[in-house]
Amino acid sequence: MTTGAESLLATLEANDVDVCFANPGTSEMHFVSALDRADRIRGVLALFEGVVTGAADGYGRMTGNPAATLLHLGPGLANGLSNMHNALRSQSPIVNVIGDHATYHRDLDAPLTSDIEGAARPFSHWVRTTPTADSLGQDTAEAVRVSREGKIASLILPADAAWTEVDAANPIAVKAGEPAPDPHVPDGALEAAARVLREEGSRTAILLGPRSATPDALAAADAIAAATGSQVLLNTFMSVISRGAGRHGAQRIPYPVPQSQELLSKFDNILLVGAKPPVAFFAYPDKPSRLYQPGTRFIDLTDGFQRTVESLESLRSELGNTVDTPALELQLPGLPTGEITPEKLGVFLGHSLPEHAVVVDESITTGRSFGEATDAARPHEWLTGTGGSIGYGMAASVGAAIARPDQPVITLEADGSGMYMPQALWTQAREALNITTLIFSNRKYQILRNEMTNVGVPKFGPKAEALLDLNNPGIDWVQLSESMGVPARRATTIEELQAAFTAALEEDGPHLIEVML
Amino acid sequence: MTTGAESLLATLEANDVDVCFANPGTSEMHFVSALDRADRIRGVLALFEGVVTGAADGYGRMTGNPAATLLHLGPGLANGLSNMHNALRSQSPIVNVIGDHATYHRDLDAPLTSDIEGAARPFSHWVRTTPTADSLGQDTAEAVRVSREGKIASLILPADAAWTEVDAANPIAVKAGEPAPDPHVPDGALEAAARVLREEGSRTAILLGPRSATPDALAAADAIAAATGSQVLLNTFMSVISRGAGRHGAQRIPYPVPQSQELLSKFDNILLVGAKPPVAFFAYPDKPSRLYQPGTRFIDLTDGFQRTVESLESLRSELGNTVDTPALELQLPGLPTGEITPEKLGVFLGHSLPEHAVVVDESITTGRSFGEATDAARPHEWLTGTGGSIGYGMAASVGAAIARPDQPVITLEADGSGMYMPQALWTQAREALNITTLIFSNRKYQILRNEMTNVGVPKFGPKAEALLDLNNPGIDWVQLSESMGVPARRATTIEELQAAFTAALEEDGPHLIEVML
């Protein structure tokens, strides 16, 4: 005798989904109960649904395997949508399980009723309401299969489908089918790419998309670039970048339009490797939306987002004359001293990042110099906010830390963005995750002060000013962090920061450092 | 020379919309800049969008007039959707302004692009993307008009529509049309209602919906009930209830299915006044979803949600023989002592609620006895979570306090629900709002422990237990509150609670009391 909820969980287990980030409600009680009997699935409670989906994003980025989420009807899903947007742009696999009223209860329009499918669709690749307990094995397996293509699968679970017993003739745990095969390199693309590399190498860029900055892909791209005089570029916002000593570097397209335009003006040809033609993050009056020069020739090597390494290896074969290039050598800058500035913070990170750190970067304006300063640091992975949805950092760190329990996770968080989902700290404490969070406290939405000027507003008055200001009252991040069980310290100098950072890394569990700017 | 953003704000001003709750981003910078020149509109910053929409809900409940919100593209909207769900169920007027990319930028699929209309639709009555600066006056006026029907209007504002100049031939500030006239009382409904009241008065209930518990409507309903032996009932979850001494009481339908069934089994007829046939909040195995007995006759007196008083007055005329009943007399229970229990908390509130308090109730399980205990307290307004979306309380209090600056706002918040949007405390501090928040700290999702049993799970293991537990780590609400600038105290006895409550009410600005259960 097996309920639908048990079939759902057995199917997740059969397909090696081993963590469920959850914020449950009444309709999900049978799922929660069934979790007790699903020995291979870890249940992780978050106190807000954005933490649930953000954690699943972080987990998916680090493993390529979906986490499950558990969300409570339309409003519970709604709270998770913004981080689903980032996950979608990151091509992270996620299986959402969204509880709904019992099927016979839905038409009564009870207070918590809403159009869950409609709410899920803009932020999911796949949405299905499972009709009965008997359909849960198949539908869950299909959700897992779809997610493994780097997609968001949202499975809506009516309460009666969860609590009803599965017909004995039905399989309980269903194996997921294979993900759709990655698309082949488009016909002729390799030949065309090899030709422009040979003939116009110095005017050609190889642009790697969100999931394509793995060590092997970066090494292959670097070999091609060295052999042809071309340049390897990365999207401004990437799912994961493998960086530091022992890896091969590549330049990210800068965020500000003038700088990105200047960089891309050097290229007549851009080879797309899991990437799309680069466009500005926002439109600005009198600035172009397309960052590349008019007439740029694009050659798509992957027709999508997978097979990155294979495509680059095929291109190397096609070129025939490439040799491996040396990886970056470790180059640790000296530790700066005194008062903290954004530039010194970059150098500090270059000096101090521990080996195999997973860096979750939501540092916004404070972090503009961090990339260059950490290029030749100890080897590490670097995650960024792929969809521009603010507040992903501390939540994604939860998932990254659960995916990589033996690697230190470093969260670089602006104070403004940190305030969107501070509840992530509580889950970090409950799960005793090895996360060190640096909060960059400048007490303003500095990016909006910059953007205000960019969009042509030279001077702003007291009301506009107040909407970009995080003083009055200032936020005490040490208190905030400790209120949720994460030990915290404040640093006003590089020396204090270094001492706090070292202490945080030495002790198990999460820590937070409020970095005063 | 007027921009679209200026036309939007001038139209809001011309229609007496005088507050905008905002969490802006780059695309909204022209709106923010224009706010500097909109003297009659107060801008209120929130650090998370759920606070923005929750505040607009609270404001709309107290004034009947829409607040504007300002939200940043799809993810910013997404973070505000759950509180929009409550507002929708509360029939609160709201005008959402949702920034979007410039029209010519949208098709480029920049990282922050998403289907904003699709995301807004499940939680809005009206959704429109304004095409140009020239359309903003008309579209804004239409949004205001729609909202005044107790609806959510979501206006999507492309950045170029905001920054472009309005054609000189166009009106800048457009007056909103009149809301659609309230539907008439359905033909024959009054006569039918009068008949069942005369013939089967003791088997008849008068059920008031979310917006219908005004002092006048309650008085009219009470007069009818007294004349006919019928009973006045309220929905379980109401937008606002006018309660206490000088008002006329009415029983809310209890949340638990067995109790509500028992109550409703007394009635063969239910007169609906801005209400719908009552159904269970959730479905439970082997329990009915419809709370009324089979064969109940419903008579709808309002065919919607407005004209409550008029309908009841018409019914009184039709009956001919009703007289005004005396209002409730003030009856203050004695102050309990010692250790705090949920029951003593109710008595404490009955004793201590200040005159004309606005009580925002998200006390979940702790508050089950509060209603009865405060029936004859000093006169006050009582707001509840109308849509079952958790986390509305502290945010709605922001809007209620701005709507009623001379009345003390008392927020009754469970610790679990409070953790969904604690950022509301920061806005309470910034705006120096007279809000006293009681956090009922039982360190668990107690309602889910109850519901687990209700859905037929008698006993649960460690994993299920952990997902309903808020210990490990415990949340220090005093620290959390003070980290955002709201002075806080902890109370472990009724005496400490009374001292902290009195002190909080005597001092201007927000305060928080962590009530240990």
Side-chain angles (χ1 to χ4, degrees), chain A residues 34-307:
Chain A
L35 200 56
D36 265 330
R37 295 174 292 287
D39 292 337
R40 281 176 288 152
I41 300 185
R42 176 174 178 178
V44 176
L45 176 62
L47 302 186
F48 180 71
E49 294 88 346
V51 180
V52 168
T53 53
D57 179 18
Y59 183 90
R61 293 190 196 199
M62 298 315 295
T63 62
N65 205 34
T69 70
L70 183 64
L71 302 166
H72 183 50
L73 286 93
L77 167 66
N79 284 336
L81 291 175
S82 64
N83 273 338
M84 278 166 61
H85 175 79
N86 274 336
L88 188 146
R89 293 283 172 173
S90 167
Q91 300 169 356
S92 302
I94 297 182
V95 173
N96 293 308
V97 179
I98 305 153
D100 193 5
H101 285 313
T103 49
Y104 59 83
H105 197 75
R106 272 197 305 241
D107 288 344
L108 300 178
D109 197 36
L112 196 42
T113 308
S114 63
D115 175 9
I116 300 179
E117 289 193 359
R121 214 162 275 126
F123 302 97
S124 307
H125 297 88
W126 180 97
V127 177
R128 183 174 296 171
T129 301
T130 207
T132 66
D134 289 323
S135 55
L136 266 166
Q138 285 298 343
D139 284 350
T140 304
E142 179 63 5
V144 172
R145 189 193 67 73
V146 167
S147 77
R148 292 221 164 101
E149 295 169 11
K151 292 183 176 167
I152 315 287
S154 292
L155 177 66
I156 299 166
L157 173 65
D160 53 343
W163 76 50
T164 303
E165 278 169 20
V166 176
D167 187 288
N170 245 16
I172 300 302
V174 178
K175 267 301 228 191
E178 291 299 310
D182 288 329
H184 291 288
V185 177
D187 278 348
L190 283 179
E191 296 74 7
R195 194 163 54 241
V196 299
L197 284 167
R198 280 197 204 98
E199 293 170 9
E200 306 174 45
S202 70
R203 304 283 303 161
T204 301
I206 304 167
L207 176 59
L208 307 186
R211 299 285 299 169
S212 301
T214 62
D216 290 349
L218 286 163
D222 201 53
I224 295 168
T228 59
S230 58
Q231 185 173 350
V232 185
L233 300 180
L234 305 180
N235 272 5
T236 309
F237 295 103
M238 300 285 290
S239 176
V240 184
I241 316 172
S242 293
R243 307 179 77 244
R247 274 78 180 268
H248 293 75
Q251 183 174 358
R252 279 166 71 186
I253 297 176
Y255 178 84
V257 170
Q259 283 102 298
S260 54
Q261 268 194 291
E262 192 192 330
L263 171 64
L264 294 176
S265 71
K266 300 196 289 183
F267 304 111
D268 297 323
N269 315 290
I270 300 181
L271 311 185
L272 300 171
V273 184
K276 291 183 300 187
V279 297
F281 203 84
F282 289 110
Y284 302 93
D286 310 321
K287 287 195 181 120
S289 282
R290 293 178 173 82
L291 299 173
Y292 48 90
Q293 56 172 339
T296 299
R297 177 198 296 149
F298 290 97
I299 302 172
D300 189 343
L301 291 184
T302 51
D303 197 19
F305 51 83
Q306 311 268 347
R307 294 181 72 86

Side-chain angles (χ1 to χ4, degrees), chain A residues 22-27 29-30 32-33 35-36 38-39 41-49 72-75 78-79 81-82 85 89 101-102 104-105 108-115 118-119 122-123 163 255 276 279-285 287 289-290 386-390 419-423 426 429-430 445 448 451-452 455 457 460-464 466-476 479-480 482-485, chain B residues 22-27 29-30 32-33 35-36 38-39 41-49 72-75 78-79 81-82 85 89 101-102 104-105 108-115 118-119 122-123 163 255 276 279-285 287 289-290 386-390 419-423 426 429-430 445 448 451-452 455 457 460-464 466-476 479-480 482-485:
Chain A
N23 185 266
T26 295
S27 326
M29 285 299 98
H30 282 83
V32 171
S33 165
L35 200 56
D36 265 330
D39 292 337
I41 300 185
R42 176 174 178 178
V44 176
L45 176 62
L47 302 186
F48 180 71
E49 294 88 346
H72 183 50
L73 286 93
N79 284 336
L81 291 175
S82 64
H85 175 79
R89 293 283 172 173
H101 285 313
Y104 59 83
H105 197 75
L108 300 178
D109 197 36
L112 196 42
T113 308
S114 63
D115 175 9
F123 302 97
W163 76 50
Y255 178 84
K276 291 183 300 187
V279 297
F281 203 84
F282 289 110
Y284 302 93
K287 287 195 181 120
S289 282
R290 293 178 173 82
T386 40
S389 176
I390 304 293
M419 281 305 290
Y420 285 75
M421 295 184 197
Q423 304 94 332
W426 185 86
R430 155 148 312 182
Y445 288 151
L448 296 186
E451 294 289 58
M452 199 92 164
V455 298
V457 180
F460 31 105
K463 283 164 82 175
L467 290 188
L468 311 185
D469 169 52
L470 302 186
N471 273 306
N472 180 23
I475 293 153
D476 185 328
Q479 274 191 316
L480 182 61
E482 293 191 337
S483 77
M484 290 183 266
Chain B
N23 186 267
T26 295
S27 326
M29 284 299 99
H30 281 83
V32 170
S33 165
L35 200 56
D36 265 330
D39 292 337
I41 301 183
R42 176 174 177 177
V44 176
L45 176 63
L47 303 186
F48 180 72
E49 295 87 348
H72 184 49
L73 285 95
N79 284 336
L81 290 175
S82 65
H85 175 79
R89 293 284 172 173
H101 285 314
Y104 59 83
H105 197 77
L108 300 178
D109 198 36
L112 196 41
T113 307
S114 63
D115 175 8
F123 302 97
W163 76 51
Y255 178 85
K276 292 183 299 187
V279 299
F281 203 85
F282 290 110
Y284 303 94
K287 287 196 181 116
S289 282
R290 293 177 173 82
T386 40
S389 175
I390 305 293
M419 281 305 291
Y420 284 75
M421 296 184 196
Q423 303 94 332
W426 185 87
R430 157 155 301 189
Y445 288 151
L448 296 186
E451 294 290 58
M452 199 92 164
V455 299
V457 179
F460 30 107
K463 282 165 82 176
L467 291 189
L468 311 185
D469 170 51
L470 303 186
N471 273 306
N472 180 24
I475 292 154
D476 186 327
Q479 274 192 315
L480 182 61
E482 294 191 337
S483 76
M484 289 183 267

Side-chain angles (χ1 to χ4, degrees), chain B residues 116-188:
Chain B
I116 300 179
E117 288 193 0
R121 212 163 276 126
F123 302 97
S124 307
H125 297 88
W126 180 97
V127 177
R128 182 174 299 170
T129 302
T130 208
T132 66
D134 290 323
S135 56
L136 266 166
Q138 285 298 343
D139 283 352
T140 305
E142 179 63 5
V144 172
R145 189 194 67 73
V146 167
S147 77
R148 292 221 165 102
E149 295 169 11
K151 292 183 176 167
I152 315 286
S154 292
L155 177 66
I156 299 166
L157 174 64
D160 52 344
W163 76 51
T164 303
E165 278 169 21
V166 176
D167 187 288
N170 244 15
I172 299 303
V174 178
K175 266 301 231 191
E178 292 298 309
D182 288 329
H184 291 288
V185 177
D187 279 347

Side-chain angles (χ1 to χ4, degrees), chain B residues 215-231:
Chain B
D216 289 349
L218 286 163
D222 201 52
I224 295 169
T228 60
S230 57
Q231 186 173 351

Side-chain angles (χ1 to χ4, degrees), chain B residues 58-66 91-93 147-150 211:
Chain B
Y59 182 90
R61 293 190 196 198
M62 298 314 296
T63 61
N65 206 34
Q91 300 168 355
S92 302
S147 77
R148 292 221 165 102
E149 295 169 11
R211 298 284 300 168

Side-chain angles (χ1 to χ4, degrees), chain B residues 198-380:
Chain B
R198 280 195 204 99
E199 292 171 8
E200 305 174 46
S202 70
R203 303 284 303 163
T204 301
I206 305 167
L207 176 60
L208 307 185
R211 298 284 300 168
S212 301
T214 62
D216 289 349
L218 286 163
D222 201 52
I224 295 169
T228 60
S230 57
Q231 186 173 351
V232 185
L233 300 179
L234 305 180
N235 272 6
T236 309
F237 295 104
M238 301 285 289
S239 175
V240 184
I241 315 172
S242 294
R243 308 180 75 245
R247 274 80 179 268
H248 293 77
Q251 184 173 358
R252 279 166 72 186
I253 297 175
Y255 178 85
V257 171
Q259 283 103 298
S260 54
Q261 269 194 290
E262 192 191 329
L263 172 64
L264 294 176
S265 72
K266 299 195 290 183
F267 304 111
D268 296 323
N269 313 289
I270 300 181
L271 312 185
L272 300 171
V273 184
K276 292 183 299 187
V279 299
F281 203 85
F282 290 110
Y284 303 94
D286 310 321
K287 287 196 181 116
S289 282
R290 293 177 173 82
L291 299 173
Y292 48 88
Q293 56 173 338
T296 299
R297 178 197 297 149
F298 289 98
I299 302 173
D300 190 343
L301 292 185
T302 51
D303 197 19
F305 50 82
Q306 311 268 349
R307 293 180 72 88
T308 299
V309 182
E310 292 85 338
S311 301
L312 290 167
E313 291 298 345
S314 303
L315 182 55
R316 284 186 76 173
S317 302
E318 182 73 26
L319 285 165
N321 61 346
T322 66
V323 290
D324 290 348
T325 52
L328 289 166
E329 285 181 27
L330 187 68
Q331 245 189 326
L332 298 184
L335 195 64
T337 59
E339 182 191 334
I340 299 172
T341 65
E343 293 67 32
K344 285 192 210 173
L345 275 174
V347 180
F348 165 79
L349 290 171
H351 176 93
S352 305
L353 272 187
E355 191 153 283
H356 302 306
V358 178
V359 180
V360 180
D361 177 12
E362 193 169 33
S363 55
I364 318 280
T365 53
T366 302
R368 288 284 159 82
S369 72
F370 291 0
E372 202 168 335
T374 54
D375 270 342
R378 297 178 189 86
H380 62 272

